[in-house]
């Protein structure tokens, strides 16, 4: 019997076609090191910012259950207690201390806000244990607001919350539970935790391990959180329903009705290549919000689009966050409410594009057929990969160099490959590409990963998008239909290039569930032909 993906991870690697071991743990460690360097840069900046402004006050706040939350408060210059100011609360990102937002807090205070940043429970010097945005984290946010109203010149009628990553998710959850919150800016966050790290019923192992390592390094995991991580790695299907219930409790999408009833103005911003919280789940959530809303997507990976703003440098995400709060908390007529509410920046051109809603982003669709019948063997990485968590999409953001593969050289024993015709004009891919095919497995369980490549004249493929899919309980030899949404993106395929759809069964980003010796056959029945539907911007 074949080993599970988790067993292979613990064993230390997989075998590539050329016999070179691919060590999943090594890529996870690289990603963790990158996150540590980013955090270190922010921490190195903060003391200088602190010394430059005496308005920063460090305080202790009693959170849910009596634990102590470490926080800092920045008030507007000249604040003397004779007037009230709008309040902005900033919960910290996963693994970062309360000085994370100090540069932005001072900018917001300079423009007339009381700003309170607090270290979420379980991390650094705050008390309690890491509960991964559980009910106590939501309750903590309300306790922090209570404290600010009692101890600062904050205006109870004008309260906003914002944050990056973990702080974004907690801000959305808090706004669903506390009607005092009138505006939210959720940057690089999640709406659906399960669809983020378990999409296609597949464990996103590099992303989860990065969070696990960072949490264990900078905080104290609760017993529940530790059990969830362990069950996740072990692919324990007996605990799958428990995992889903745990994730739903921590997903703002679960509380959508409450959020819409409270009616805060919600700004969502994320990166196309976010390997922790993919763009799809934010776009789906955005469409279901009924109050004032804004959606922004840019090139990059998790939290990289906001990063320069944490150093106090000019940053589009933080600029729009300030404008969002100025309008919805101060009533400033700055025009942000009259702009197109969906704003995208292409990975290829770098220019901004505005749309009235998400469904207008890829209003035109173009299909290319996946003809014939193709069988591949499992358990070997073909060379088509989604990259390395944090690093690959960051490289795409900075240098427009996404993960690549020589498509003609991909070994057809382990990779199924289909290509479109050469396009006479540029194809501006916008939104969510969808794969439809028929799969016949030789075992009851399996994993596949689909990749969409932009292929140049020499056969070099540049990754446009990808997504994993895992199945369990299928009857060997019996075909089933598969519909899979690839991760949303904005990418321009040059004239003279093709699109290629590649499917293999191993990617270091994910845990795979392919028994040894398993095979997958892809077919295109006459009454249900296989295809890829590619969303395109209207010309």
């Amino acid at each position: 019997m074949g080993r599970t993906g988790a067993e292979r991870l613990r064993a230390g690697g997989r075998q590539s076609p050329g016999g070179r071991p691919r060590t999943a743990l090594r890529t996870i460690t690289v990603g963790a090191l990158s996150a540590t360097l980013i955090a270190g840069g922010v921490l190195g900046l903060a003391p200088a910012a602190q010394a430059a402004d005496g308005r920063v006050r460090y305080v202790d706040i009693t959170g849910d259950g009596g634990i102590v939350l470490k926080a800092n408060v920045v008030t507007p210059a000249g604040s003397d207690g004779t007037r009230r100011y709008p309040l902005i609360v900033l919960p910290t990102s996963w693994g970062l201390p309360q000085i994370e937002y100090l540069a932005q807090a001072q900018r917001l205070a300079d423009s007339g806000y009381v700003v309170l940043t607090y270290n979420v429970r379980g991390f650094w010097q705050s008390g309690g244990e890491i509960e991964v945005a559980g009910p106590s984290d939501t309750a903590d946010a309300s306790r922090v607001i209570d404290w600010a109203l009692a101890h600062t010149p904050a205006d109870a009628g004008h309260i906003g919350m914002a944050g990056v990553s973990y702080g974004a998710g907690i801000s959305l959850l808090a706004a669903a539970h506390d009607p005092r919150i009138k505006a939210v800016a959720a940057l690089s966050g999640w709406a659906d935790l399960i669809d983020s790290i378990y999409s296609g019923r597949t464990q996103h192992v590099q992303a989860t391990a990065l969070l696990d390592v960072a949490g264990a390094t900078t905080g104290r995991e609760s017993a529940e959180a530790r059990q969830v991580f362990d069950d996740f790695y072990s692919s324990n299907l007996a605990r799958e329903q428990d995992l889903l219930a745990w994730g739903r409790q921590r997903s703002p999408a679960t509380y959508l009705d409450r959020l819409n009833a409270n009616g805060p103005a919600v700004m969502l911003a994320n990166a196309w290549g976010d390997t922790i919280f993919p763009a799809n789940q934010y776009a789906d959530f955005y469409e279901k919000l009924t109050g004032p809303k804004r959606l922004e997507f840019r090139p990059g990976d998790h939290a990289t689009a906001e990063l320069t703003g944490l150093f106090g440098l000019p940053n589009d995400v933080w600029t729009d966050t300030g404008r969002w709060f100025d309008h919805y908390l101060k009533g400033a007529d700055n025009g942000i409410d009259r702009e197109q509410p969906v704003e995208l920046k292409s990975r290829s051109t770098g220019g901004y594009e505005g749309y009235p809603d998400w469904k207008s982003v890829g209003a035109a669709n173009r299909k290319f057929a996946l003809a014939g019948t193709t069988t591949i063997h499992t358990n070997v990485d073909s060379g088509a990969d989604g990259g390395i968590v944090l690093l690959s999409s960051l490289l795409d953001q900075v240098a427009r160099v996404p993960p690549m593969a020589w498509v003609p050289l991909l070994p057809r024993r382990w990779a199924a490959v289909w290509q479109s015709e050469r396009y006479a004009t540029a194809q501006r891919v916008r939104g969510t590409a969808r794969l439809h095919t028929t799969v016949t497995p030789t075992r009851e369980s399996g994993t596949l990963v689909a990749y969409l490549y932009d292929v140049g004249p020499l056969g070099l493929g540049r990754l446009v998008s990808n997504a994993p899919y895992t199945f369990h309980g299928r009857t060997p030899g019996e075909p089933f239909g598969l519909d899979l949404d690839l991760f949303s993106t904005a990418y321009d395929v040059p004239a003279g290039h093709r699109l290629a759809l590649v499917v293999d069964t191993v990617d270091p980003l994910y845990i795979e569930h392919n028994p040894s010796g398993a095979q997958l056959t892809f077919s295109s029945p006459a009454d249900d032909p296989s295809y890829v539907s590619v969303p395109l911007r209207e010309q």
Side-chain angles (χ1 to χ4, degrees):
M1 176 175 287
R3 293 183 294 177
T4 67
E7 287 169 336
R8 290 190 183 91
L9 178 65
R10 288 192 294 271
R14 299 185 176 93
Q15 200 73 14
S16 70
R20 180 173 55 86
R22 301 186 64 96
T23 307
L25 286 175
R26 184 177 304 145
T27 56
I28 292 167
T29 302
V30 170
L33 177 59
S34 301
T36 302
L37 291 174
I38 291 171
V42 174
L43 296 181
L45 170 76
Q50 174 190 353
D53 196 327
R55 289 177 291 144
V56 180
R57 180 162 58 105
Y58 287 84
V59 299
D60 290 348
I61 299 175
T62 302
D64 186 55
I67 67 142
V68 174
L69 300 171
K70 295 294 183 178
N72 59 59
V73 181
V74 189
T75 52
S79 174
D80 57 7
T82 61
R83 59 168 291 191
R84 295 283 171 177
Y85 300 90
L87 169 67
I88 296 178
V89 175
L90 301 167
T92 52
S93 301
W94 184 274
L96 295 186
Q98 77 263 26
I99 54 177
E100 172 191 3
Y101 302 114
L102 202 51
Q104 286 301 322
Q106 290 178 316
R107 288 188 175 213
L108 289 166
D110 288 341
S111 63
Y113 295 94
V114 172
V115 186
L116 193 155
T117 294
Y118 73 96
N119 219 123
V120 292
R121 66 170 51 226
F123 285 99
W124 293 86
Q125 294 176 322
S126 282
E129 297 177 324
I130 299 169
E131 299 186 15
V132 195
S136 291
D137 290 291
T138 303
D140 284 343
S142 292
R143 301 289 190 276
V144 168
I145 292 172
D146 293 342
W147 187 95
L149 295 177
H151 297 90
T152 74
D155 183 348
H158 300 85
I159 298 172
M161 284 192 71
V164 176
S165 185
Y166 198 42
I170 290 175
S171 294
L172 288 171
L173 289 165
H177 289 83
D178 193 328
R180 295 177 296 178
I181 300 169
K182 303 304 182 185
V184 174
L187 316 178
S188 290
W190 76 93
D192 187 327
L193 190 57
I194 293 299
D195 199 37
S196 296
I197 62 173
Y198 194 54
S199 71
R201 210 178 176 186
T202 308
Q203 295 97 325
H204 296 212
V205 68
Q206 282 192 24
T208 305
L210 176 60
L211 296 174
D212 190 4
V213 170
T217 302
T218 62
R220 301 164 301 282
E221 294 175 338
S222 67
E224 180 186 35
R226 183 67 262 156
Q227 185 64 54
V228 166
F229 279 122
D230 290 344
D231 289 341
F232 185 91
Y233 297 137
S234 67
S235 308
N236 186 354
L237 289 179
R239 298 295 301 272
E240 185 179 35
Q241 292 306 310
D242 294 334
L243 174 68
L244 296 177
W246 178 88
R248 281 192 292 267
Q249 187 182 41
R250 289 156 171 81
S251 296
T254 300
Y255 310 101
L256 184 67
D257 289 346
R258 292 191 196 181
L259 193 63
N260 284 334
N262 290 343
V266 177
M267 172 180 156
L268 305 172
N270 206 350
W272 292 120
D274 195 320
T275 44
I276 298 181
F277 303 129
N280 298 47
Q281 44 93 35
Y282 247 18
D284 292 343
F285 183 68
Y286 171 84
E287 286 290 271
K288 297 172 185 174
L289 291 171
T290 58
K293 59 184 179 179
R294 183 177 178 89
L295 178 67
E296 300 183 355
F297 285 129
R298 296 174 174 83
D301 206 309
H302 184 65
T304 62
E306 301 87 4
L307 181 61
T308 57
L310 296 180
F311 291 87
L313 301 174
N315 181 277
D316 289 353
V317 187
W318 286 105
T319 295
D320 285 349
T321 295
R323 295 174 62 227
W324 190 252
F325 285 136
D326 284 349
H327 179 74
Y328 287 103
L329 296 183
K330 289 183 178 179
D333 185 15
N334 56 18
I336 197 167
D337 58 317
R338 297 187 295 274
E339 296 173 1
Q340 295 278 39
V342 176
E343 185 175 82
L344 315 179
K345 179 181 277 191
S346 168
R347 292 165 51 201
S348 304
T349 64
Y352 281 107
E353 304 167 359
Y355 300 85
D357 48 39
W358 176 248
K359 64 178 178 288
S360 300
V361 170
N365 277 279
R366 185 168 188 169
K367 293 182 180 180
F368 72 87
L370 310 180
T373 299
T374 301
T375 297
I376 62 172
H377 296 253
T378 65
N379 295 310
V380 173
D381 191 334
S382 71
D385 285 327
I388 298 174
V389 66
L390 286 183
L391 297 182
S392 296
S393 292
L394 178 59
L395 184 60
D396 185 38
Q397 174 187 354
V398 173
R400 295 183 186 170
V401 180
M404 299 183 188
W406 287 101
V407 173
L409 300 182
L410 291 175
R412 294 331 194 239
R413 178 178 176 84
W414 295 294
V417 180
W418 299 266
Q419 296 192 76
S420 71
E421 76 279 13
R422 294 189 189 277
Y423 296 115
T425 59
Q427 305 294 295
R428 295 185 289 181
V429 179
R430 300 290 186 273
T432 308
R434 293 180 171 88
L435 164 65
H436 174 74
T437 189
T438 296
V439 182
T440 304
T442 59
R443 303 293 178 88
E444 66 173 14
S445 294
T447 297
L448 58 91
V449 185
Y451 309 89
L452 188 64
Y453 283 102
D454 159 26
V455 184
L458 299 180
L460 180 63
R462 299 164 64 92
L463 187 65
V464 177
S465 185
N466 78 100
Y469 180 84
T470 294
F471 60 88
H472 298 287
R474 293 291 178 178
T475 301
E478 184 174 307
F480 65 90
L482 168 64
D483 290 285
L484 177 63
D485 285 357
L486 277 62
F487 299 136
S488 303
T489 195
Y491 182 98
D492 294 358
V493 179
H497 286 214
R498 319 171 180 263
L499 283 171
L501 191 282
V502 177
V503 179
D504 71 4
T505 63
V506 174
D507 189 311
L509 286 173
Y510 313 112
I511 288 179
E512 46 90 2
H513 300 262
N514 296 299
S516 296
Q519 299 177 31
L520 299 176
T521 296
F522 301 92
S523 57
S524 184
D527 59 348
D528 186 20
S530 297
Y531 60 85
V532 174
S533 177
V534 181
L536 301 174
R537 182 184 177 189
E538 291 184 332
Q539 300 297 323

